[in-house]
Amino acid sequence: MANVYYDADAALISARKIAVLGYGSQGHAHALNLKESGADVRVGLRPDSASRSSAEAAGLSVVSPEQACEEADLIMVLVPDQTQKALYDEVIEERLSDGDALFFAHGFNIHYGLIRPPANVDVVMVAPKAPGHLVRRTYEEGGGTPALVAVHQDASGKAKELGLSYAQGIGSTRAGVLETTFREETETDLFGEQAVLCGGLTSLILAGYETLVEAGYQPESAYFECLHELKLIIDLIYEGGISRMRYSISDTAEYGDLTRGPRVVTEETKAEMKRILDEIQSGKFATEWVLENQAGRPHFEALRRQGAEHPIESVGAELRQMMPWLGKKAGN
Ligand code: NAD
Ligand code: MG
């Protein structure tokens, strides 16, 4: 069995001075949860940051990233992954001292060697398995979101305990904290989003939608079938696994699922998934993404634009206008 932790030594985190860098999805949740758990937190934001007023309004102490790093002995890096290296090089590195701890919520920059901290600091990951607004809301409701903890470098000999203590501060030990490695977290996270959760899913939706529309069916029917209903199916799978979903659908649907599904996602698809995983493991994907960012993201922006221009988006926007309750659920 894997190591899953439910409690931790809170004394460790309450003895530290924490800097949370960034106040986006994860940043606001970590900073507020830690503060309410009694930790000593300051948020490091650039003077021109749009988030400054909301962080201050929430009662947090907001300083510059430089000052936050100077004051703190535990730095949690919650700026976007593609800007972490520049922030590390320009602000963090020169302000790290003996015994400090450098924390991340995703392993990308450490695992691929873009950030190489000195040997005298702890390097730890605490990665909630939920979007930031849920990390915050669940904590406020008295619960917590599960998280991963991993140690890349244990200078103090207490890095794991410190990570668990931080996880307790954001509420995650209430739900369970799974021990992993930077490598496993980074590679499975990238694979999941590329092959299944985001890439695999959106390509599946579009292929199904296009097949129906090209065969002469109404775009609106194709939208409801191939996109809208997905939510209902996913909810069932989430609640009770694939069996729970198959129990709820009709026998006709279940027979079609069992006999046709494997014709859509074939051995060939799985072989391609394996190649995608190879590119993640070899660092090919990471290099490609770093270079794309250095070049100003031309390919990324073009693909983004093309995606937004697909007819399924305008058809969907029109249909969703008749379902105003949907928009209210969209969080940050
Ligand atoms: P985000 O894009 O929501 O927010 C980033 C914040 O950093 C913004 O407030 C931005 O203004 C600020 N910022 C950008 N550059 C900065 C700089 N140079 N100095 C100071 N602040 C700066 O980011 P996020 O989604 O919260 O991601 C943060 C980390 O958490 C990433 O490592 C990500 O992989 C990880 N993570 C995110 C999620 C999620 O659900 N979004 C889940 C798990 C882990
Ligand atoms: Mg992820």
Side-chain angles (χ1 to χ4, degrees):
M1 264 305 274
N3 285 335
V4 185
Y5 297 92
Y6 293 94
D7 223 334
D9 181 4
L12 276 178
I13 203 66
S14 49
R16 307 294 289 234
K17 293 191 178 71
I18 304 171
V20 171
L21 303 182
Y23 197 71
S25 176
Q26 290 293 321
H28 90 284
H30 289 227
L32 291 169
N33 292 4
L34 284 164
K35 176 171 178 278
E36 283 165 29
S37 293
D40 176 1
V41 190
R42 74 258 319 113
V43 178
L45 290 178
R46 291 165 301 185
D48 61 337
S49 168
S51 317
R52 176 172 279 268
S53 54
S54 74
E56 281 169 349
L60 288 159
S61 150
V62 181
V63 296
S64 67
E66 288 81 0
Q67 191 184 333
C69 291
E70 239 139 58
E71 291 176 5
D73 53 23
L74 189 161
I75 298 168
M76 174 50 114
V77 184
L78 293 176
V79 305
D81 295 300
Q82 68 274 10
T83 62
Q84 290 182 6
K85 181 181 161 48
L87 183 67
Y88 179 82
D89 290 345
E90 289 156 21
V91 176
I92 302 173
E93 186 173 27
E94 65 194 271
R95 294 177 177 84
L96 285 175
S97 43
D98 235 20
D100 281 1
L102 188 59
F103 272 50
F104 295 87
H106 179 40
F108 192 93
N109 283 277
I110 290 290
H111 178 57
Y112 291 113
L114 301 164
I115 294 177
R116 296 175 188 272
N120 61 347
V121 304
D122 289 342
V123 181
V124 179
M125 169 171 39
V126 176
K129 291 277 86 185
H133 69 279
L134 278 183
V135 175
R136 178 60 185 149
R137 195 201 302 157
T138 323
Y139 178 92
E140 284 183 292
E141 290 166 357
T145 47
L148 303 177
V149 67
V151 172
H152 172 71
Q153 202 165 273
D154 188 4
S156 67
K158 287 206 162 197
K160 185 164 111 188
E161 290 77 359
L162 186 61
L164 289 172
S165 182
Y166 184 99
Q168 183 172 47
I170 61 171
S172 289
T173 47
R174 294 172 181 171
V177 179
L178 174 70
E179 186 172 7
T180 183
T181 60
F182 272 66
R183 171 174 185 250
E184 181 172 85
E185 186 274 342
T186 306
E187 294 179 356
T188 57
D189 189 73
L190 290 172
F191 178 79
E193 63 204 22
Q194 292 177 18
V196 182
L197 304 173
C198 309
L201 184 64
T202 55
S203 290
L204 184 70
I205 293 171
L206 293 178
Y209 174 88
E210 287 168 9
T211 302
L212 287 178
V213 172
E214 284 163 19
Y217 297 99
Q218 300 181 80
E220 291 80 3
S221 300
Y223 177 86
F224 281 133
E225 268 317 312
C226 299
L227 189 152
H228 183 81
E229 273 196 51
L230 205 52
K231 159 89 170 95
L232 315 171
I233 295 295
I234 291 296
D235 282 350
L236 292 168
I237 294 176
Y238 179 79
E239 283 159 19
I242 292 172
S243 309
R244 166 80 177 87
M245 183 276 284
R246 286 187 172 149
Y247 171 80
S248 288
I249 60 180
S250 68
D251 284 359
T252 313
E254 188 176 356
Y255 179 73
D257 163 355
L258 293 164
T259 56
R260 268 54 180 180
R263 288 170 52 188
V264 175
V265 177
T266 61
E267 281 306 312
E268 184 47 39
T269 315
K270 210 170 147 190
E272 194 60 43
M273 285 187 176
K274 179 75 174 61
R275 287 190 281 275
I276 287 169
L277 181 59
D278 287 343
E279 291 174 9
I280 292 167
Q281 291 172 333
S282 69
K284 185 170 185 278
F285 173 79
T287 306
E288 179 185 318
W289 178 224
V290 168
L291 290 175
E292 175 68 15
N293 276 288
Q294 283 170 4
R297 319 219 267 183
H299 186 51
F300 179 53
E301 294 300 347
L303 291 173
R304 225 184 206 177
R305 204 163 40 244
Q306 276 172 31
E309 283 166 3
H310 193 285
I312 197 172
E313 296 295 349
S314 44
V315 169
E318 217 148 275
L319 291 172
R320 287 191 303 269
Q321 276 189 358
M322 302 308 290
M323 302 180 273
W325 57 89
L326 291 182
K328 293 200 186 105
K329 282 208 184 137
N332 57 339

